[in-house]
Amino acid sequence: MREEKLNILIYNWWRSIDRKIFIFSTLLILIGCVISFAATPSIAIKYNLEEYHFVKKHLVFAPITFFFISFTSLLSHIGIKRIFLFIFLISIIFILYSFFLGIENKGSIRWVSFFGYSFQPSEFLKVSFIVICAWIFSLKNKFQLMSKKLFTFILYLLVSSLILKQPDFSMFLIISIVYFGQLFISGLKWRWVLASGAFLTSISLAAYFILDNVKRRIDIFINPQSGDNYQITKSIQAIEEGQLLGKGPGMGNIKDSLPDAHTDFIFSVIAEEFGLIISLLIITFFIYLIANIYKRLRVEKEFFTILCVSGLVIQFSSQILINIGSTIGLIPTTGTTLPFISYGGSSMIAMALNIGVILALTRVNYKNITLSNET
């Protein structure tokens, strides 16, 4: 009896979700595992670790990521709001905790260690902030003390301040793009859209003059001769060396001298070892996944769903564009990972929550689906 109920639950769940989104997300996770075998052994050796250290950890993260996509896709609207409010608050607490006991890496304090596990709380703050803003914007009752937009703007200033304090400018940009995108979708007047753009530009200019790492990266991007452009030079060299078919899995040698080859510059490793054709195929998978999300979004009527899914897909798309754009030299280098492909448990699980919420909010009403004789 229990087995039959479980089968019906799985059947209803499978019929209710957008299977294309689920399948292509799973496919990208599997591609990330394959890339990990090719890209990370030499990097592990460089750090005096066991050869398959990163591979083993990536293979642990992969099923956890799959679980979070599946689990989150089962949540109701109210369940999503409650859980992500909790994640939002916990993420803020851990970011504050990181300022005192965080792990510093390359001048930024983005990681915390808790009970022996290291993770990046800002990755979870990024996703939960999108859900919280969509929730507030979609509330029918007005706040008594201030408008909903003003309240979310105060939250945005809080989140942005914490992110810039770390500092993590690329994360700040992604959060800002998503927030102002949600503001626009929620019905912001054009004069406020222009004001928002001016505000974001002002903050970016201030970051350029205040944050040394931001200034250095932008200066090198504008004038490569003004500083050390080793990373982007090696990244482009790896892409050029790969040509159409690549050198073969594990056969690339430029990745050995490319910092963060398994995370921020994973696309360079893909291009060098698997070639231009496979690189374009992976980009095609991303485009197809995003297109299917937008296709589902077009038929949605519920305001919370529209705002939330829009914000999540903008975040997902922005991260892909920033990662690949910085890898091929179209924008200054950043510390942004490629979703589901780059090594990193925090990034993979945060992206799993992103896709899981999208699947949950775009489900058809599976309560009306029952097992039939056709199955």
Side-chain angles (χ1 to χ4, degrees):
M1 188 68 178
R2 289 182 179 178
E3 184 178 348
E4 183 181 355
K5 288 183 178 179
L6 179 61
N7 289 336
I8 293 174
L9 177 64
I10 295 173
Y11 174 81
N12 283 333
W13 168 78
W14 182 246
R15 288 286 302 274
S16 69
I17 64 169
D18 189 307
R19 293 183 288 278
K20 290 180 181 178
I21 297 174
F22 181 82
I23 290 170
F24 271 83
S25 298
T26 304
L27 181 60
L28 287 167
I29 295 171
L30 295 176
I31 290 173
C33 292
V34 174
I35 300 300
S36 179
F37 271 101
T40 63
S42 62
I43 297 169
I45 293 172
K46 184 171 67 175
Y47 289 113
N48 297 318
L49 298 170
E50 189 267 326
E51 182 178 9
Y52 290 102
H53 172 82
F54 292 118
V55 174
K56 291 176 181 177
K57 294 191 74 173
H58 197 101
L59 292 179
V60 170
F61 295 144
I64 294 174
T65 302
F66 179 80
F67 167 79
F68 273 103
I69 291 176
S70 304
F71 172 77
T72 310
S73 69
L74 288 167
L75 296 174
S76 63
H77 285 211
I78 189 64
I80 288 171
K81 293 172 182 176
R82 289 172 177 172
I83 288 177
F84 280 86
L85 175 60
F86 174 76
I87 293 174
F88 179 74
L89 296 174
I90 290 295
S91 298
I92 288 177
I93 291 171
F94 273 112
I95 290 177
L96 293 173
Y97 170 83
S98 72
F99 295 146
F100 300 97
L101 297 170
I103 302 170
E104 185 174 350
N105 183 27
K106 299 180 180 179
S108 297
I109 305 175
R110 305 177 187 177
W111 296 82
V112 296
S113 180
F114 198 71
F115 288 106
Y117 294 95
S118 297
F119 63 97
Q120 191 174 349
S122 58
E123 289 286 351
F124 303 100
L125 179 66
K126 177 173 57 180
V127 178
S128 58
F129 178 65
I130 295 170
V131 177
I132 298 304
C133 284
W135 183 8
I136 295 171
F137 285 141
S138 63
L139 290 174
K140 294 181 179 180
N141 298 325
K142 294 183 178 180
F143 290 178
Q144 293 182 351
L145 298 179
M146 65 182 73
S147 70
K148 292 179 287 187
K149 289 183 174 64
L150 178 59
F151 183 70
T152 60
F153 187 69
I154 293 172
L155 283 182
Y156 164 74
L157 292 178
L158 170 64
V159 169
S160 299
S161 300
L162 293 174
I163 297 300
L164 289 172
K165 176 68 176 175
Q166 293 183 318
D168 190 346
F169 188 70
S170 58
M171 180 78 74
F172 162 75
L173 277 181
I174 292 172
I175 288 175
S176 298
I177 291 169
V178 173
Y179 173 70
F180 288 115
Q182 286 182 306
L183 266 180
F184 178 73
I185 295 169
S186 68
L188 194 66
K189 294 181 179 179
W190 274 106
R191 66 173 180 270
W192 290 112
V193 172
L194 296 175
S196 300
F199 172 80
L200 184 56
T201 302
S202 301
I203 295 296
S204 300
L205 287 173
Y208 173 79
F209 290 106
I210 295 172
L211 301 176
D212 291 337
N213 64 329
V214 174
K215 186 178 189 305
R216 184 176 63 254
R217 291 181 179 184
I218 293 177
D219 286 345
I220 293 173
F221 174 75
I222 296 172
N223 180 16
Q225 307 304 320
S226 64
D228 181 11
N229 61 346
Y230 178 83
Q231 279 184 316
I232 189 61
T233 299
K234 284 292 181 181
S235 175
I236 294 175
Q237 185 182 350
I239 295 170
E240 291 174 347
E241 289 284 333
Q243 298 184 2
L244 280 178
L245 301 177
K247 294 180 176 179
M251 301 303 292
N253 51 22
I254 297 178
K255 68 174 182 287
D256 299 338
S257 56
L258 179 61
D260 304 316
H262 59 316
T263 54
D264 304 345
F265 288 92
I266 191 68
F267 191 75
S268 301
V269 178
I270 297 171
E272 182 186 13
E273 300 197 347
F274 296 91
L276 178 63
I277 294 175
I278 297 298
S279 301
L280 292 177
L281 183 63
I282 291 173
I283 292 174
T284 302
F285 288 161
F286 277 125
I287 293 173
Y288 187 77
L289 175 60
I290 292 167
N292 271 281
I293 295 172
Y294 277 115
K295 184 179 178 182
R296 283 302 291 261
L297 190 58
R298 288 174 59 188
V299 300
E300 294 297 331
K301 306 287 190 211
E302 211 265 329
F303 195 43
F304 170 70
T305 297
I306 293 171
L307 284 174
C308 192
V309 175
S310 296
L312 291 170
V313 73
I314 291 171
Q315 182 239 311
F316 188 78
S317 307
S318 299
Q319 194 154 328
I320 295 167
L321 290 172
I322 290 174
N323 177 273
I324 296 178
S326 64
T327 298
I328 63 179
L330 290 180
I331 60 174
T333 56
T334 66
T336 304
T337 55
L338 188 61
F340 297 131
I341 306 294
S342 295
Y343 169 83
S346 298
S347 174
M348 290 179 68
I349 294 173
M351 281 299 163
L353 294 174
N354 181 312
I355 296 297
V357 171
I358 291 172
L359 287 171
L361 294 179
T362 58
R363 285 198 318 245
V364 298
N365 187 8
Y366 67 82
K367 290 181 180 179
N368 294 331
I369 300 174
T370 58
L371 287 172
S372 64
N373 294 330
E374 296 177 356
T375 62

